[in-house]
Amino acid sequence: MPLMKSWVASANSAETPFPLNNLPYGVFSLADEDPRCGVAIGDMILDIAALEAAGLIELDAEAVFDLPFWNQVMELGPEVWANLRARLQEMLAEGSGDQATITPYLVPQADAQLHMPFKVSEYTDFYAGRQHAENMGAILRGSPDLPANWLHIPIGYNGRASSVVVSGTEITRPNGQSKAPDADRPSFGPSKRLDIELEMGAIVGTPSDFGAPVTVDQADAMIFGFVLLNDWSARDIQGWEYQPLGPFQGKAFGTSISPWIVTKAALEPFRVPTPAREKALLPYLDGTIDGLYDIALEVLMQPEGATKATSICKTNAKRLYYSAAEQLCHHASGGCGMNAGDLLGSGTISGPEKSEFGSLMELSWAGRTPLTLDTGETRTFIEDNDTLILRGAALGDGYQIGFGTCEGTIRPAVKFPA
């Protein structure tokens, strides 16, 4: 699909992540105004809440865009999603008769503050990157062999919805218990092995009933859109606590997402198949639709005071083994009811080359091979006041479908009360 031309000039640049082909959804505010729904187009935001108030767009009998989240729109279902996207593209397309009417409702992104684009109902994180799973096995167990269940089942754990924050939110280094290999007992204090995980986040748009499983194809239709996701991880805290029940405090202190929801419709031209299965999946995980997306991803690190960030990883979302639809199908297979606004983390996305490793645990091989940044500084794990930046875009013919950055700065741990 070629670039769709818009009368918003900045949307026609190959450099913008927000052409007319994209139209991602977010929540913004200006000055002291209340946050409300907006749509990114080029370097502008279409104030869709103001459009609705003026009677220029209507999805429901009641207002749905004057809220600080997109959940109300999600709950209206896929047919309404499709109609909204078609109407927005019609209004903003080159030669549209709506230009004079719509122009007053555009505001510069540079003047806006971005907020959480949706209300996270619940959060589940998966472990769907095969290279990452093999690397972690090699690091932690001395063997890249996968767990016996890994090729049969999308492994995941239930996280904390309260931990999910929008890009730009500072993350406080967590305190917790850890135990050095040569210590007799654990100690308590700030994490010394703080890490990132490069992931995609899928947002459930339509719910499923409690007790009712869904097929992979039904699960695909339930997905509203995607965000970039940084699953901040305290490796030392996680390593001590995770057996036998999995991650807990080592993952509960922060999860960052990008501020714009890229709709599944915008990513349709970039669908790719999941990898060939080494072991056939059980029939309930069969689907008829290619479930992954060709999205180029990058991680950058910027120490405090550095004039630029260093690129430390470049990989692609098509490296995943399980699709979001397969993960959602499995999640609901036992009768777990899914909600509008549920967030599913993909798991760390890594590729076969070191330059594609999506975590510092892999890039430094658990601290044994430090990274050298462009500043000359070295890192094994994240230090206080380091900023980590995730970027991603599906690359089309003369355009890109971007997410905005997913950025977070680590601040020093809070001193625990005596």
Side-chain angles (χ1 to χ4, degrees):
M1 177 183 292
L3 171 69
M4 300 172 67
K5 291 293 187 71
S6 171
W7 53 262
V8 180
S10 59
N12 299 324
S13 166
E15 304 302 316
T16 181
F18 308 128
L20 187 59
N21 305 61
N22 192 351
L23 299 182
Y25 302 148
V27 170
F28 77 102
S29 62
L30 299 172
D32 296 327
E33 296 175 352
D34 292 333
R36 56 197 183 275
C37 293
V39 179
I41 176 73
D43 59 8
M44 308 296 283
I45 298 174
L46 178 62
D47 188 342
I48 198 168
L51 274 182
E52 182 183 54
L56 297 174
I57 197 163
E58 182 178 336
L59 291 193
D60 197 41
E62 297 184 0
V64 295
F65 295 119
D66 62 343
L67 303 167
F69 46 77
W70 279 79
N71 299 56
Q72 297 285 85
V73 177
M74 294 181 203
E75 292 173 359
L76 296 176
E79 183 177 349
V80 173
W81 307 345
N83 290 340
L84 170 62
R85 178 173 170 80
R87 178 61 182 134
L88 289 171
Q89 288 186 325
E90 179 185 40
M91 289 191 301
L92 294 166
E94 186 177 63
S96 169
D98 294 309
Q99 179 174 351
T101 304
I102 300 302
T103 296
Y105 297 95
L106 291 172
V107 298
Q109 288 189 33
D111 296 341
Q113 179 180 352
L114 300 179
H115 305 271
M116 277 290 294
F118 70 106
K119 187 183 296 184
V120 180
S121 298
E122 299 192 51
Y123 167 50
T124 303
D125 193 35
F126 285 88
Y127 191 49
R130 179 169 183 169
Q131 187 67 54
H132 175 70
E134 290 177 341
N135 287 346
M136 294 300 283
I139 292 169
L140 299 175
R141 299 185 296 275
S143 169
D145 292 345
L146 295 165
N149 61 354
W150 200 93
L151 292 170
H152 298 275
I153 184 174
I155 299 171
Y157 71 92
N158 289 314
R160 294 282 298 173
S162 63
S163 75
V164 183
V165 296
V166 73
S167 174
T169 304
E170 295 182 344
I171 304 294
T172 301
R173 182 179 296 272
N175 289 295
Q177 277 198 27
S178 60
K179 182 180 177 298
D182 56 351
D184 294 330
R185 62 196 304 268
S187 60
F188 183 86
S191 170
K192 298 181 178 65
R193 294 162 71 88
L194 194 56
D195 200 359
I196 61 159
E197 291 191 337
L198 169 62
E199 303 192 21
M200 297 296 302
I203 301 164
V204 177
T206 54
S208 64
D209 293 333
F210 177 69
V214 298
T215 67
V216 172
D217 287 3
Q218 288 170 334
D220 188 87
M222 292 167 61
I223 295 171
F224 182 66
F226 293 84
V227 291
L228 303 177
L229 187 148
N230 182 351
D231 178 27
W232 302 93
S233 302
R235 299 297 184 188
D236 42 359
I237 297 172
Q238 180 183 355
W240 173 237
E241 73 181 2
Y242 83 104
Q243 296 186 27
L245 295 181
F248 183 37
Q249 296 294 81
K251 298 277 195 174
F253 62 95
T255 301
S256 299
I257 65 169
S258 51
W260 296 104
I261 302 171
V262 174
T263 63
K264 189 179 59 178
L267 292 171
E268 283 299 318
F270 304 95
R271 279 190 184 262
V272 292
T274 49
R277 302 305 184 185
E278 184 174 320
K279 296 182 183 294
L281 297 179
L282 296 178
Y284 81 99
L285 284 172
D286 286 341
T288 65
I289 306 170
D290 291 338
L292 296 179
Y293 297 93
D294 184 354
I295 302 171
L297 301 168
E298 183 178 22
V299 180
L300 302 99
M301 174 180 273
Q302 185 167 358
E304 184 179 28
T307 57
K308 66 173 184 174
T310 300
S311 177
I312 61 174
C313 164
K314 290 184 178 181
T315 188
N316 195 293
K318 65 184 179 182
R319 296 294 194 191
L320 290 165
Y321 191 81
Y322 292 102
S323 70
E326 289 168 340
Q327 293 169 341
L328 179 52
C329 166
H330 179 67
H331 206 329
S333 63
C336 174
M338 306 304 296
N339 308 304
D342 281 354
L343 175 65
L344 307 182
S346 65
T348 307
I349 304 169
S350 294
E353 302 299 325
K354 182 177 180 180
S355 61
E356 291 189 81
F357 293 173
S359 70
L360 288 167
M361 186 74 165
E362 298 166 87
L363 287 166
S364 74
W365 214 249
R368 294 191 282 272
T369 56
L371 302 176
T372 300
L373 305 180
D374 292 345
T375 60
E377 298 172 79
T378 60
R379 289 290 186 275
T380 51
F381 292 96
I382 303 169
E383 296 186 7
D384 287 348
N385 304 312
D386 284 346
T387 297
L388 277 297
I389 304 162
L390 275 52
R391 294 177 181 164
L395 304 178
D397 181 10
Y399 70 96
Q400 55 181 305
I401 303 294
F403 296 77
T405 59
C406 179
E407 181 174 328
T409 300
I410 295 296
R411 296 308 185 199
V414 174
K415 185 175 182 181
F416 204 76

